[in-house]
Amino acid sequence: MNWTSITGASSGIGKSYALLAAEEGRRLVLSGRDEDRLQETKLACLTAGASDVKTIICDYSNLDDIEKFIQFHQEVGPIERFVSCAGFGRFANVLEHDNAHMQKMLQVNLIATMLIVKEMALLMLNQNLDHGEIGVITSVAGKIFTPKSGFYAASKAGLHGFCKALAQDLWDTPITVTSILPGPTDTAFFNHEANGQAYFEHVKQFATTPEKVAKKMHKALAKGRTEITVPAYYEGIYHLIQLFPETGAKVIHSFYTLGNYR
């Protein structure tokens, strides 16, 4: 049996997707930064029905960890599905943003993720499997821009563009690439700092859940879709903004300020 590899599996969307995959009896490779929480996810997945679970600690800001991650996957066996959920956000006015946080966010969310996805795509191609799926959590923030999300939005817009281009590059291969764009999701993602909690207060009215994102992602991967937005109405909002950009920008700013945007 082939393996399903999931990054960011210690919490949030990554953990929810791991549990969903476990219910199908899949063999799982789970990675994340927090070993204790990763072991909790492993136990939960085994209880849910996973046939085997391996774990590996990987910090996307550490190049040595990334190299070990790739080597681990070269040795573990055929990877049928790779799902990248790792990432983090810091939310502040661009002019007030800490430069170190900005650089780390671009390194983790964009550069390291592109590097790992590229290497996993090469690995999967060399396995000569009949099919394989790559799923990458990008974000609605990469298409619909709110105040205090500038650097995070930039990292996710870049990642979304990368995924769409990679899907084209792999078009005539057995490997499909799906970009998953969730809206703000009610997880611990926003709890790491006061600014994140304050940002979530402005957008929580329409917050989705990690379980809903995981289910939609699961279906999209199985169908080989190139892109899916959760909740779907964000796609409608995006198209309206494209048609009426000036009005859209004013509405977004007004709703965010009122704490009702979503």
Side-chain angles (χ1 to χ4, degrees), residues 110 138-139 142-143 155-165 179-181 226-227:
L110 182 58
T138 57
S139 175
K143 294 177 73 173
S155 71
K156 290 300 187 176
L159 185 59
H160 178 62
F162 167 78
C163 291
K164 299 293 282 186
S179 180
I180 301 99
L181 297 93
T226 61
E227 178 179 335

Side-chain angles (χ1 to χ4, degrees), residues 13 137-141 180-185 208 213 228-231 234 262:
I13 296 170
I137 295 290
T138 57
S139 175
V140 161
I180 301 99
L181 297 93
T185 306
T208 188
V213 176
I228 183 171
T229 303
V230 187
Y234 276 113
R262 181 60 199 249

Side-chain angles (χ1 to χ4, degrees), residues 100-119:
H101 280 159
M102 177 269 289
Q103 291 175 334
K104 185 176 181 180
M105 192 155 38
L106 291 174
Q107 167 63 28
V108 171
N109 291 356
L110 182 58
I111 297 171
T113 301
M114 289 193 298
L115 172 60
I116 287 178
V117 170
K118 173 212 166 189
E119 292 298 327

Side-chain angles (χ1 to χ4, degrees), residues 96-197:
E96 300 169 357
H97 215 291
D98 179 86
N99 287 341
H101 280 159
M102 177 269 289
Q103 291 175 334
K104 185 176 181 180
M105 192 155 38
L106 291 174
Q107 167 63 28
V108 171
N109 291 356
L110 182 58
I111 297 171
T113 301
M114 289 193 298
L115 172 60
I116 287 178
V117 170
K118 173 212 166 189
E119 292 298 327
M120 291 299 292
L122 285 169
L123 185 154
M124 293 168 73
L125 281 173
N126 290 333
Q127 293 172 157
N128 296 317
L129 295 177
D130 292 337
H131 65 90
E133 300 93 31
I134 295 174
V136 182
I137 295 290
T138 57
S139 175
V140 161
K143 294 177 73 173
I144 300 174
F145 310 114
T146 68
K148 302 187 185 302
S149 67
F151 290 117
Y152 178 73
S155 71
K156 290 300 187 176
L159 185 59
H160 178 62
F162 167 78
C163 291
K164 299 293 282 186
L166 181 61
Q168 291 290 330
D169 289 338
L170 295 174
W171 196 269
D172 294 321
T173 76
I175 311 298
T176 58
V177 180
T178 304
S179 180
I180 301 99
L181 297 93
T185 306
D186 193 0
T187 69
F189 177 87
F190 293 100
N191 296 338
H192 298 298
E193 58 163 3
N195 285 344
Q197 296 169 11

